[in-house]
Structure formats: C-alpha cells, structure tokens
Amino acid sequence: RLRALDEAGVGRLDISADPYHQQFVPIDRPRRLARVAAEVLGPDRVRVRWRDWLAEGFDLVGESPARVGEVLRAWAGRGRDRLTGRAAEGLDDALPQRPVEAFDDSPCDRILLRGKHVHVAPTGELWPATCVGIVVGNALTHSVSEIWQRLAVDWPTYPVIGPLCRRGPVGLWQALVAAGENPVRQAFASRCQLCYTVRRLWMQRSARGLGPAAAYGIPRIPD
C-alpha cells in the first residue's frame, strides 16, 4: 500500500498516534507503519502526530473508564489537541476555562480556506483541514478541486464557514444567539471546543453546512 501511494504521487504520510486513537487501535500498528513508511517513502515524508506518544505511549484498549479518563485528561492538559467531539464534552475539567469573549480575536479563515489537507467521509462529505463536521461539499458529486474553487469565491455565503472566517467561533456563537438560542454554557477551554459546542447546537436546528450527524453524537440529521 505504501508503494502504491508513492507511485500515485503522495507527498507526505501523516500518522495519528495519541491516547485517543489508542483506545481503539493497538499502538504497535502506527509504530510498524511509521517504521516501514520511513523505509519506503523516506523519513522526511512521514509525519507522526505525536512522536513522543509513539515512542512512549501504550495501549488503552481494555483499560477501565477511570484509567482512560485519567490518561486523556493528563494528555489534554498539554494543550496540543483540538477539543472536538467527545473530547469537547468530557475532558475540559482538566483545563482552565475562559469566557466566550476571550476568543473574539480568533478568525478561522486561514485554517478553513488555506489549509493544506481535507478529510473525505465515506458518504462523500468534504471537511476542510482538521475541522471534522463542517461540510463544504460532497466528493461523490463534485471533484475536490471544483469544491475548493467555489469555496474560495463564495465562502461569505456559507452558513457556517462564513461567520467562522469573519470572526471565528464567536461569530458563530453570536449568530446562534441571534437565532433565538440561549446556550447554557458560557466558558470554554479552547476556541475549538467553543466552535464544536456551537455547531452541535446548530445541528439540532439545521444541518446546513454541517454533518454527518454522527460527528456530533446526534442520532440523525435534522429535517
């Protein structure tokens, strides 16, 4: 598979290794992949997130919930990871909290419009950079190039990306409040946690620009 990727012209291989993944994937797998990839592609074309965990980490498969929570909270306390998904809902007790207004200087235009990679869901949803759950198009109906060319021009009209590029998560928060929502939570550990929380609330009102529902722990896409 690595040779096929090399022949296809892949520039760099990124490997995920952290306690979140090692709840489900034995750590010997990313270690083996990193070793063989360095031989096939060359070490300069292999990046591991994170190499310190790859070297010193361990399996969390089968560990008790208490032990898993202890490890995840300690790792999140390093401040290197984006708190989204289950992490946004369960790991912030180890991190200092700041009010919504503290994140008002964090527009997301660079990440969303000029990121260097995308994610494609099995159902075709295309997500920009590391922002899983923000949909910019469907790769089953249009090419990634077509989707990106449209995004570069029309991003101000996108219901989620527009506010995020202009003012970051605070812009999305204010749009949600203007729509009549009154979020209970008022403090967050990071702008990504704030963004995920707001997006999850949006999903319960409208799925435009968001999905799939599983990315937000919601049983189904709203009508």
Side-chain angles (χ1 to χ4, degrees):
R1 289 180 180 175
L2 287 167
R3 291 193 191 96
L5 288 172
D6 189 25
E7 293 170 0
V10 69
R12 183 181 67 194
L13 180 72
D14 287 0
I15 302 172
S16 295
D18 53 50
Y20 312 110
H21 286 82
Q22 266 58 80
Q23 294 177 81
F24 312 101
V25 180
I27 198 168
D28 66 300
R29 296 183 184 179
R31 283 173 175 162
R32 181 169 61 249
L33 176 59
R35 184 181 68 253
V36 178
E39 296 172 0
V40 175
L41 303 176
D44 292 340
R45 293 169 62 196
V46 180
R47 184 175 73 170
V48 181
R49 188 179 180 274
W50 303 94
R51 283 197 177 273
D52 54 348
W53 174 266
L54 191 72
E56 305 167 8
F58 47 88
D59 290 337
L60 289 174
V61 177
E63 291 283 354
S64 69
R67 173 57 176 159
V68 171
E70 176 188 352
V71 173
L72 295 186
R73 282 191 293 272
W75 188 260
R78 300 187 180 194
R80 293 190 294 183
D81 296 312
R82 298 171 180 86
L83 296 180
T84 61
R86 287 177 297 155
E89 299 173 353
L91 294 179
D92 60 342
D93 57 344
L95 304 170
Q97 307 288 297
R98 292 188 289 166
V100 173
E101 296 75 17
F103 303 100
D104 200 13
D105 61 347
S106 302
C108 303
D109 54 323
R110 182 183 60 82
I111 295 172
L112 292 172
L113 303 180
R114 294 187 287 278
K116 296 182 179 179
H117 73 282
V118 299
H119 283 87
V120 182
T123 47
E125 289 97 345
L126 190 72
W127 303 318
T130 54
C131 300
V132 171
I134 298 178
V135 179
V136 296
N138 193 295
L140 298 181
T141 58
H142 295 84
S143 71
V144 174
S145 177
E146 290 173 329
I147 293 171
W148 226 251
Q149 288 173 16
R150 181 193 168 199
L151 178 66
V153 175
D154 295 339
W155 66 264
T157 67
Y158 284 57
V160 175
I161 286 186
L164 286 176
C165 287
R166 284 188 289 267
R167 292 192 63 183
V170 172
L172 204 59
W173 171 279
Q174 292 178 339
L176 185 66
V177 172
E181 192 76 35
N182 185 24
V184 174
R185 183 166 183 163
Q186 300 288 323
F188 300 87
S190 70
R191 71 174 186 171
C192 292
Q193 185 189 39
L194 167 59
C195 181
Y196 173 83
T197 302
V198 176
R199 285 190 275 125
R200 193 175 190 280
L201 289 171
W202 266 119
M203 276 290 295
Q204 298 171 37
R205 301 174 63 94
S206 169
R208 289 185 61 223
L210 298 171
Y216 297 94
I218 297 172
R220 68 180 185 86
I221 297 283
D223 295 332

